[in-house]
Amino acid sequence: MRAFARTLLAATLCLVVWMTAVWAQSASGPDAGPNYEDWRSVAARAELAIENNRASEGAMTELRKQLVDWRRQFAADSSRSSVSSQTLEAQLNRLGPVPEGGEAADVAAERQRLETQLSEAQAPIRQAELAQAEANELIRAIDALLRDRQTELLLEPGPIPLIPSLWPAAFVEVGKTIRLLTLEFEGNWKQQRLRHELRKSLPLMLFYLAIGALLVTRGMRWTDAALSRIVSQSEHMSALRWISVFLLSFGQVLLPMLGAVALAEAVYATDLAGLRGGVVLSLLPQMTFELLVAKWLGERFFSRHERPLMPVNLTEKDKRRGRRAATVLGALLALATLTSEMSRFESWDRGTESVVFFVLCVLAAFCLVQIALLGKKHAHSLTDETSLSRSALEQMLRILAVFAMGAAVVGIAVSLAGLVRGGSFLIFSTAKTMLLVGFLLVSQRVIQKVYAALEGRDDDESSLAAVITGIAMVIAALPILALTWGVRTADLQELWTQWNNGLSFSGLTLSPRVILILIVVFVIGHGITRLMQSFLRDNILPKTRVDVGGQTAIVSGAGYIGNFIAILVALSIAGINLSNVALFAGALSVGIGFGLQTIVSNFVSGIILLIERPVSEGDWIEVGGQMGYVRDISVRSTRIETFDRTDVVVPNSDLISGTVTNYTRGNTVGRVIVPVGVAYGTDTRRVEKILMEIAEGHPMVLANPGPAVVFQGFGADALDFEIRAILRDVNWMLTVKSDLNHAIAERFVAEGIEIPFAQRDIWLRNPEALRAAPATGPKPMDAEARASVVSAKSKLTPPDAEDMGGDGTAEGEPDGEGR
């Protein structure tokens, strides 16, 4: 019993403690909302700091972090309070507007209660939004102040570095810094306490020292030896082998980098580093990275192997110069990083700073110019004299070369004018940009090889997926490029915050989350729609009596409806108010009505074609002087294949508003007319009988209604007859007409019936002019006599040939063989 009582008491105490914690969290946690009194204190301090502009950069950065935290609290409080506000607004909208004649007392009371609650619920939202706006303005002010300070620091004039009196003092001050660094190490070594600590940490120090020395001295050699062995094993390098070699080349950076970290840990383990030594050790990984990456990129672009990973059209001498320039540039970047930090730590004199950075700038500018000239030389080798345009790679290399050389020249000129900080910033930022672009070029080639390996190819052709991946990689590298040119991390975080909050226009807010949800939901809806279309086309519609054109119209209509529903569902799930979308669409429709009325007209006409189906795929139609078969009906236009096997795209509006002749709509039955002429004096009844037998004997001619022979009349040269017959398939009109003509010619020869052709009697006005013969030769004829002779030699083409065209084919009529 006592044990049960103790257990019950312990459980009660735990429950009380848990409830107390929950109450405390609800009272003082996020649900309690921000403390606006504390916020007013922080805001007042920030306003004072901005107004005085005397706080250090570190103090300003810390104050900005506090403002960002407060802004985040205000945003969370506003979002939390907006839920209840939206609920109350929905209830008021459900009640509707107040009727003109008034409303019932209970309804009025309920409306008053909801309005009061809504006003109370909106009060904290307005307060949080006002505080959030104030925080935004304070953050912008601090960012602007820090940017102004950075600009003033770069443009602050200093002593001209070429003044001779500055150089001895600069050497003395730099030597003093090196001496102090050495004295710190020696002083720590001499202290007895540190000697005892050294004995305790000696095994760990020796382990790190051995590993570091081995990786730094041997790591790059091991990688080079392995690369040479793999490259020389086979003459042809597949995409997979290329990727493996490239990954192995990272050992040139990774192994020495790990060695440098191990050496730093060895020194940290002894605790021999003083203040200055701690600064150097903290910068050692960054300095090593800058040196090794520059050297690694130099090895990739100016490779010493016969089959390099990055082929460059340069001589071995140029490649050797390029590798040397890249390595020296990396070393100068590392020295610039160390010198910049040590100058702030030691508070170097402006003259010393000018001299040291001017020397580094001149050397870095020389290396930049060397690399730029080599890049320009390679770009020139890529020029195709037969092509009128340059490739994208060639243009980019030329632009980078010009930019690097211009930055080097401008940086040196600015430094000579006393703006050494600005000049060094320009030169070293350009150097880092060149390294970043080089890394992107190498990465793009790696991406091409990866996709080639996945597709089983060994060529360097860039697929669409590789291009899109490369573009995404370039976009991802933009923040790094911005940091290279002095953009602060806080500025990028602010841009990211604004991007996450979204862009608002016309009451519509678009954020990455909303856009991602829209895309995902619409893609899913579009996939379901395509699946539904396939199911209709393959499983349901073939089992119905709907013709092919109707099936196509149903499938297309289902696709439009499904995509429209997918868009509506995506908008709803993303939380976008459809009323705002309707307002935006209404405003957009005004511009569409004026600027895109032709496209809209064709779109509406396409929908009408799919619904009414006056024209279907496979129909033989004539519209606007174009005749052929309908091959495809889309939303905007209809594609017609003419009898010359050419495609004609006809706007749908022409099919709706114009006159369209459909020869095969509903059925393929059609009439053929074959004209025939016989000589005067022939028995017309006999001709009629023969023509009727020929028409009835053709298998394509229908017996009901049967063919008919019409005696058209008395022509200028012949008695005109016509065979008029109804064909089973009008698409074979040209073949049937040719068969009938062949049969008529054979029967007329057998029956002795003459098919006449036009004859003309020629009358000469002056026959004596032709009889007279000149003594010395023929006398030239006058124009009238010459025209008479030409007329005598001419013959008239038979009427049938005129009807059939120059090559004997009836234009615009389909042939069964041509289908």
Side-chain angles (χ1 to χ4, degrees):
M1 189 68 181
R2 290 181 179 178
F4 176 75
R6 285 197 296 268
T7 303
L8 182 60
L9 179 60
T12 305
L13 289 176
C14 292
L15 181 62
V16 170
V17 170
W18 177 76
M19 293 181 64
T20 303
V22 171
W23 176 82
Q25 183 178 4
S26 62
S28 60
D31 293 338
N35 189 333
Y36 286 94
E37 293 182 0
D38 294 344
W39 158 245
R40 289 309 320 159
S41 175
V42 174
R45 185 153 49 89
E47 291 174 356
L48 183 61
I50 294 171
E51 183 179 356
N52 294 333
N53 195 13
R54 295 179 180 178
S56 63
E57 183 177 352
M60 282 292 189
T61 303
E62 183 62 29
L63 184 59
R64 188 188 184 281
K65 290 181 180 179
Q66 296 180 14
L67 293 175
V68 170
D69 292 337
W70 278 104
R71 183 178 62 181
R72 189 180 299 112
Q73 294 182 29
F74 296 144
D77 185 61
S78 177
S79 300
R80 184 171 53 250
S81 301
S82 62
V83 177
S84 59
S85 175
Q86 292 174 0
T87 304
L88 293 172
E89 287 180 352
Q91 292 176 347
L92 282 173
N93 293 333
R94 187 67 177 174
L95 290 178
V98 180
E100 295 181 0
E103 57 186 357
D106 54 345
V107 178
E110 181 66 17
R111 186 187 300 277
Q112 182 65 31
R113 184 184 67 82
L114 291 176
E115 290 177 350
T116 303
Q117 291 181 356
L118 180 61
S119 178
E120 293 175 355
Q122 289 178 346
I125 297 177
R126 295 191 185 95
Q127 188 178 13
E129 289 177 350
L130 291 175
Q132 184 179 358
E134 185 179 6
N136 279 329
E137 293 302 323
L138 291 175
I139 291 172
R140 290 194 187 96
I142 291 178
D143 289 340
L145 188 146
L146 292 177
R147 282 194 295 268
D148 292 341
R149 286 185 180 181
Q150 185 179 11
T151 304
E152 292 175 359
L153 183 65
L154 292 177
L155 299 180
E156 183 181 359
I160 298 175
L162 293 182
I163 298 177
S165 59
L166 296 178
W167 289 72
F171 283 119
V172 170
E173 195 161 4
V174 172
K176 179 182 177 182
T177 300
I178 298 174
R179 227 175 16 256
L180 290 175
L181 181 63
T182 306
L183 290 175
E184 280 185 351
F185 183 84
E186 292 177 354
N188 293 332
W189 177 266
K190 291 179 181 180
Q191 292 182 12
Q192 187 67 24
R193 182 181 63 82
L194 289 179
R195 287 186 178 180
H196 292 296
E197 294 293 335
L198 183 61
R199 294 191 188 98
K200 293 179 182 180
S201 59
L202 185 62
L204 182 62
M205 181 202 70
L206 292 177
F207 173 76
Y208 280 128
L209 189 62
I211 294 295
L214 186 64
L215 292 178
V216 169
T217 56
R218 292 291 180 179
M220 191 168 291
R221 294 183 181 180
W222 291 341
T223 305
D224 291 338
L227 286 175
S228 300
R229 186 166 56 253
I230 294 177
V231 171
S232 61
Q233 283 180 354
S234 61
E235 296 182 358
H236 175 70
M237 185 177 293
S238 63
L240 191 59
R241 178 181 289 271
W242 192 98
I243 295 172
S244 62
V245 171
F246 176 79
L247 294 177
L248 181 61
S249 69
F250 275 116
Q252 296 176 339
V253 177
L254 184 60
L255 295 181
M257 188 77 183
L258 293 176
V261 173
L263 291 178
E265 290 296 329
V267 178
Y268 277 126
T270 62
D271 202 16
L272 292 176
L275 296 177
R276 296 172 180 81
V279 172
V280 175
L281 291 178
S282 64
L283 295 176
L284 185 61
Q286 179 182 351
M287 295 166 57
T288 307
F289 179 77
E290 292 173 346
L291 172 61
L292 294 176
V293 167
K295 182 176 177 57
W296 179 78
L297 287 174
E299 290 289 341
R300 300 287 74 74
F301 284 97
F302 311 106
S303 177
R304 65 189 70 202
H305 299 287
E306 295 182 359
R307 286 177 294 164
L309 297 182
M310 296 293 294
V312 179
N313 300 326
L314 297 174
T315 63
E316 290 300 325
K317 182 179 180 181
D318 291 335
K319 290 181 180 180
R320 188 164 51 252
R321 189 165 71 246
R323 291 195 299 269
R324 185 166 55 248
T327 304
V328 174
L329 185 61
L332 292 173
L333 284 172
L335 285 177
T337 301
L338 177 62
T339 305
S340 177
E341 191 63 30
M342 294 303 297
S343 66
R344 283 196 294 268
F345 185 83
E346 294 289 341
S347 300
W348 282 356
D349 183 72
R350 286 298 305 274
T352 302
E353 185 178 332
S354 297
V355 171
V356 172
F357 278 101
F358 178 74
V359 173
L360 295 177
C361 286
V362 171
L363 296 176
F366 178 76
C367 295
L368 273 180
V369 172
Q370 289 291 317
I371 296 175
L373 291 175
L374 293 176
K376 193 173 182 180
K377 186 175 181 180
H378 173 63
H380 183 70
S381 66
L382 298 176
T383 303
D384 187 3
E385 297 180 356
T386 61
S387 177
L388 298 178
S389 61
R390 296 174 178 174
S391 63
L393 178 61
E394 180 186 354
Q395 293 182 11
M396 186 183 65
L397 290 177
R398 289 179 180 274
I399 292 173
L400 285 175
V402 173
F403 174 72
M405 290 187 290
V409 173
V410 173
I412 296 299
V414 168
S415 299
L416 289 174
L419 303 176
V420 180
R421 292 176 178 174
S424 62
F425 174 78
L426 177 60
I427 292 176
F428 287 110
S429 296
T430 303
K432 294 178 181 178
T433 302
M434 296 285 287
L435 294 179
L436 179 60
V437 172
F439 180 78
L440 291 176
L441 290 175
V442 174
S443 302
Q444 179 63 34
R445 184 167 174 80
V446 174
I447 292 172
Q448 294 177 5
K449 289 294 185 179
V450 168
Y451 279 101
L454 293 176
E455 297 172 3
R457 298 183 291 106
D458 291 334
D459 52 38
D460 292 337
E461 293 295 331
S462 181
S463 61
L464 178 61
V467 173
I468 294 176
T469 306
I471 293 174
M473 183 181 60
V474 171
I475 295 174
L478 290 179
I480 302 176
L481 182 63
L483 292 174
T484 300
W485 287 93
V487 177
R488 298 181 303 114
T489 307
D491 296 333
L492 296 179
Q493 292 175 351
E494 187 67 20
L495 289 175
W496 179 251
T497 301
Q498 294 178 2
W499 172 248
N500 283 331
N501 292 335
L503 302 176
S504 298
F505 52 93
S506 300
L508 184 64
T509 301
L510 292 179
S511 63
R513 170 184 166 275
V514 172
I515 296 175
L516 181 62
I517 292 176
L518 281 173
I519 294 175
V520 171
V521 176
F522 176 74
V523 168
I524 294 174
H526 180 69
I528 295 174
T529 301
R530 294 295 297 271
L531 184 63
M532 180 183 65
Q533 286 181 291
S534 300
F535 186 73
L536 283 173
R537 182 174 54 251
D538 301 333
N539 299 96
I540 296 180
L541 294 177
K543 300 177 182 179
T544 63
R545 297 182 179 180
V546 182
D547 57 17
V548 178
Q551 293 179 14
T552 303
I554 293 174
V555 172
S556 300
Y560 297 141
I561 295 174
N563 288 329
F564 180 72
I565 294 175
I567 292 174
L568 293 181
V569 172
L571 292 174
S572 300
I573 293 178
I576 297 177
N577 192 353
L578 295 180
S579 60
N580 295 332
V581 177
L583 292 175
F584 179 75
L588 187 62
S589 63
V590 177
I592 292 177
F594 287 100
L596 303 176
Q597 54 184 348
T598 303
I599 297 177
V600 174
S601 174
N602 291 326
F603 178 80
V604 175
S605 300
I607 295 176
I608 295 175
L609 286 176
L610 293 175
I611 294 176
E612 295 185 355
R613 295 191 297 113
V615 174
S616 301
E617 291 185 12
D619 288 352
W620 170 22
I621 68 171
E622 181 180 4
V623 56
Q626 299 292 337
M627 181 181 293
Y629 292 105
V630 177
R631 295 306 184 195
D632 180 60
I633 300 177
S634 62
V635 179
R636 190 194 66 83
S637 61
T638 297
R639 181 171 62 88
I640 298 176
E641 181 183 355
T642 66
F643 305 126
D644 297 330
R645 295 298 184 267
T646 58
D647 286 346
V648 177
V649 179
V650 179
N652 288 332
S653 58
D654 293 350
L655 297 175
I656 296 299
S657 60
T659 301
V660 180
T661 302
N662 196 331
Y663 293 94
T664 58
R665 181 62 179 169
N667 58 70
T668 58
V669 175
R671 188 176 70 170
V672 62
I673 299 177
V674 181
V676 181
V678 298
Y680 278 92
T682 307
D683 186 357
T684 58
R685 294 298 180 181
R686 182 183 172 201
V687 171
E688 181 180 8
K689 181 180 178 182
I690 293 173
L691 294 179
M692 181 64 71
E693 291 176 358
I694 293 173
E696 291 176 346
H698 199 284
M700 190 63 70
V701 176
L702 290 178
N704 187 18
V709 176
V710 179
F711 182 16
Q712 285 287 87
F714 302 93
D717 303 296
L719 300 175
D720 296 332
F721 288 82
E722 280 186 356
I723 298 177
R724 298 189 178 187
I726 304 298
L727 305 182
R728 303 177 187 276
D729 191 347
V730 74
N731 293 293
W732 295 85
M733 178 185 294
L734 187 60
T735 301
V736 173
K737 196 171 184 179
S738 177
D739 292 343
L740 293 177
N741 284 327
H742 282 298
I744 291 170
E746 293 174 359
R747 285 292 302 273
F748 279 9
V749 171
E751 298 290 338
I753 298 174
E754 180 184 359
I755 300 177
F757 56 89
Q759 298 183 12
R760 295 292 183 266
D761 294 331
I762 301 175
W763 173 73
L764 298 178
R765 178 179 298 178
N766 299 317
E768 64 277 2
L770 298 176
R771 298 193 190 98
T776 59
K779 180 180 180 181
M781 291 185 294
D782 58 2
E784 185 174 359
R786 188 164 50 248
S788 299
V789 174
V790 172
S791 299
K793 293 181 179 180
S794 65
K795 291 184 179 181
L796 185 64
T797 304
D800 294 347
E802 290 181 346
D803 294 339
M804 295 296 292
D807 56 353
T809 58
E811 297 182 358
E813 295 182 0
D815 188 352
E817 297 179 355
R819 292 196 67 185

